[in-house]
Amino acid sequence: QRRLGAAVAQSLVSQSGSANMIRPGTSLTKQKQKRTVVPKFAPGKKTESLKPDLHDFLNACDYVGAVTLLEFEKKTREERPHLLMWLAYSYFHNGDYKKAVDAYDEAQKTEKDPHIHAYKACCFYALTEYSEAEEAAKLAPDSSLKTRILFHTAHKRNDESAMMSHHQALMDTREDQLCLAAIQYLRSHFQEATDIYKRLLVEDREHWALNVYIALCYYKLDYYDVALEILQTYLTNFPHSITAVNLRACSHYQLYNGKAAEAELKVLQQASNSGNIFQDHDLLLHNLVVFRNGENAVQILPPLLDIIPEARLNLVIYHLRTGEEMEAYNLIKDIEPTVPREYILKGVVFAALGQKTGSQEHLKLAQQLFQLVGASASECDTIPGRQCMASCFFLLRQFEDVLVYLKSIKPYFTNDDDFNW
């Protein structure tokens, strides 16, 4: 049963963002390192330089440049309308959420905009401080942004009643529909999310990011080839997007191996101005652990447990591989599974712990989890589903039935020593 952890519950790779890193959809131009803003020179004048234009930075999504310029203006007390609001905006899009909150707090002393509460709520949400996000949003006047924030915080609290209320308040605007699609994705309703994204893409073919969102859904549906094909449309326009390149690497991991996946990330390091881009981004750091088969898992994954959902599951797998069943159990015992891999992994942990300690209770729970997956309509004819039924019958000591299920998938494991054993 311990071996089943590696065979069935393959290491999970994350595409989500994190509170301490650049949010999904951004690229290398948005890194948080300080750099010098190169002044523009007026034609024909060698000594007089033109001051960089804020909107040039914003249009290029160069938020490091925008922050540098605005901080300079603030320090030198230059007059710019709504300077603190622009600074908070730039901080947010550069991933500096705490600085954005501080800037909004300072702006509230002079600005009369009541929507600042909603903007602060976005910052708190990005920091995974969901209670604070909800409290801030409730102070804001009614708006579509407020509705979207409360919809997402209700999801984080598992408040179905509040979710239904906010869902009904959504309109047919692009922003509201993107919000709904995101909720569907987070609830593992990937086909429903895909349908929304495809409809929006028909309306605006040049909304390139929609291709990434659709590719993410297909990745989650295990259509890795399709995900790569759709992703290429975005990468053609934005070859150094961290999220898109990472998703391509994850697809190569699923189709081939960790070495092939890591090779896909080299384009990011080559295009980066920093010394080690992987140290600057929790998402990439996490996935390198997976690509390298658990290397440095104990050092890297624990700080990410509340930021990247897959970090907890991958740490569970690491502990299973190293024979630390109790550590794996403590990490997964309170997780409520929502997708087959989570049910399988929890079953593997319970089975491993039950076999090691002789606990019939844990063996029974493992058997029930395996049966739940193997007998489900969506999984009964898949390889993991049949492995689950084989495991279920093994725990029930019905070995003839075990062999029936294992023989049905034998052609897929002809060279797998674990399976043959």
Side-chain angles (χ1 to χ4, degrees):
Q1 296 306 317
R2 284 193 287 272
R3 292 184 180 274
L4 189 61
V8 180
Q10 288 185 352
S11 296
L12 301 159
V13 184
S14 170
Q15 299 83 50
S16 60
S18 91
N20 299 324
M21 59 169 287
I22 295 173
R23 304 301 280 177
T26 61
S27 61
L28 285 169
T29 55
K30 300 183 185 178
Q31 291 186 66
K32 291 175 269 188
Q33 287 80 10
K34 292 283 184 183
R35 61 170 172 73
T36 303
V37 177
V38 180
K40 296 179 181 178
F41 291 94
K45 297 182 180 181
K46 294 185 178 180
T47 57
E48 182 182 345
S49 64
L50 293 177
K51 180 180 170 184
D53 184 72
L54 173 62
H55 292 284
D56 287 344
F57 287 128
L58 297 179
N59 290 334
C61 296
D62 184 355
Y63 299 108
V64 175
V67 165
T68 304
L69 175 62
L70 291 166
E71 286 181 342
F72 173 78
E73 291 183 351
K74 182 184 177 185
K75 187 175 181 180
T76 56
R77 300 181 183 277
E78 290 192 28
E79 289 294 328
R80 175 187 291 276
H82 312 297
L83 186 148
L84 288 171
M85 296 291 284
W86 281 118
L87 184 57
Y89 175 88
S90 301
Y91 279 142
F92 178 87
H93 285 278
N94 194 48
D96 295 328
Y97 307 114
K98 289 183 179 178
K99 287 186 177 180
V101 171
D102 293 340
Y104 280 129
D105 284 338
E106 191 176 348
Q108 280 182 309
K109 298 173 184 176
T110 55
E111 299 279 352
K112 303 300 183 183
D113 187 352
H115 293 285
I116 288 178
H117 293 293
Y119 305 150
K120 285 172 63 178
C122 293
C123 300
F124 287 129
Y125 187 91
L127 288 166
T128 68
E129 297 173 4
Y130 304 121
S131 297
E132 291 83 350
E134 186 159 307
E135 291 170 8
K138 287 179 178 178
L139 294 173
D142 289 341
S143 67
S144 57
L145 175 59
K146 177 179 178 177
T147 300
R148 292 194 295 270
I149 295 168
L150 293 176
F151 190 22
H152 273 271
T153 56
H155 168 257
K156 292 298 183 182
R157 292 188 291 104
N158 294 315
D159 188 336
E160 291 291 335
S161 176
M163 285 187 67
M164 184 64 68
S165 173
H166 297 307
H167 184 182
Q168 292 171 349
L170 293 177
M171 296 182 289
D172 198 28
T173 62
R174 180 167 66 179
E175 291 81 2
D176 281 8
Q177 290 303 301
L178 285 171
C179 171
L180 177 58
I183 290 290
Q184 296 284 27
Y185 179 91
L186 291 169
R187 289 164 69 89
S188 300
H189 300 162
F190 304 118
Q191 190 58 57
E192 290 85 345
T194 302
D195 292 341
I196 296 172
Y197 290 136
K198 285 183 175 179
R199 189 179 74 249
L200 292 172
L201 190 59
V202 169
E203 296 172 3
D204 184 1
R205 288 289 181 185
E206 293 190 358
H207 190 167
W208 303 115
L210 289 170
N211 292 283
V212 179
Y213 305 152
I214 294 170
L216 273 167
C217 292
Y218 277 114
Y219 177 92
K220 287 291 191 177
L221 291 167
D222 295 340
Y223 293 117
Y224 308 118
D225 287 328
V226 178
L228 284 172
E229 184 178 344
I230 296 172
L231 196 59
Q232 191 55 45
T233 304
Y234 184 83
L235 284 168
T236 300
N237 292 280
F238 307 98
H240 299 142
S241 163
I242 290 174
T243 300
V245 172
N246 174 68
L247 180 54
R248 183 170 64 186
C250 294
S251 298
H252 278 263
Y253 174 76
Q254 299 290 358
L255 290 169
Y256 309 110
N257 52 48
K259 191 173 183 179
E262 190 172 344
E264 291 296 319
L265 297 178
K266 287 182 179 179
V267 64
L268 295 179
Q269 184 62 64
Q270 291 167 356
S272 172
N273 293 323
S274 66
N276 187 348
I277 188 174
F278 303 113
Q279 296 297 326
D280 298 330
H281 299 277
D282 294 337
L283 179 62
L284 299 179
L285 203 58
H286 168 276
N287 287 350
L288 271 184
V289 172
V290 179
F291 297 161
R292 294 173 179 176
N293 205 27
E295 183 180 313
N296 297 323
V298 175
Q299 291 77 28
I300 293 172
L301 297 184
L304 304 178
L305 294 183
D306 296 324
I307 298 171
I308 298 177
E310 291 86 349
R312 182 176 298 273
L313 303 178
N314 281 318
L315 192 56
V316 168
I317 292 171
Y318 174 81
H319 286 309
L320 283 174
R321 286 175 171 172
T322 54
E324 299 167 314
E325 291 84 359
M326 185 54 71
E327 286 81 355
Y329 172 76
N330 289 333
L331 282 168
I332 206 170
K333 63 181 179 181
D334 295 325
I335 290 181
E336 289 297 329
T338 57
V339 294
R341 285 184 179 181
E342 292 176 1
Y343 282 99
I344 293 170
L345 186 55
K346 195 165 187 176
V348 171
V349 172
F350 282 6
L353 185 64
Q355 289 176 330
K356 187 169 186 176
T357 63
S359 169
Q360 291 302 313
E361 179 187 359
H362 287 108
L363 290 173
K364 179 66 175 176
L365 289 170
Q367 179 259 314
Q368 292 172 346
L369 287 166
F370 289 139
Q371 187 173 15
L372 194 63
V373 175
S376 67
S378 62
E379 299 298 315
C380 62
D381 290 325
T382 66
I383 293 174
R386 295 192 178 186
Q387 284 179 302
C388 282
M389 287 308 298
S391 300
C392 169
F393 285 123
F394 187 92
L395 293 174
L396 292 170
R397 304 188 69 79
Q398 297 177 19
F399 301 118
E400 289 295 333
D401 292 320
V402 175
L403 288 172
V404 170
Y405 278 95
L406 291 183
K407 286 178 180 177
S408 73
I409 57 175
K410 185 178 179 180
Y412 300 98
F413 295 94
T414 51
N415 298 318
D416 191 313
D417 291 339
D418 292 340
F419 179 85
N420 291 324
W421 179 86

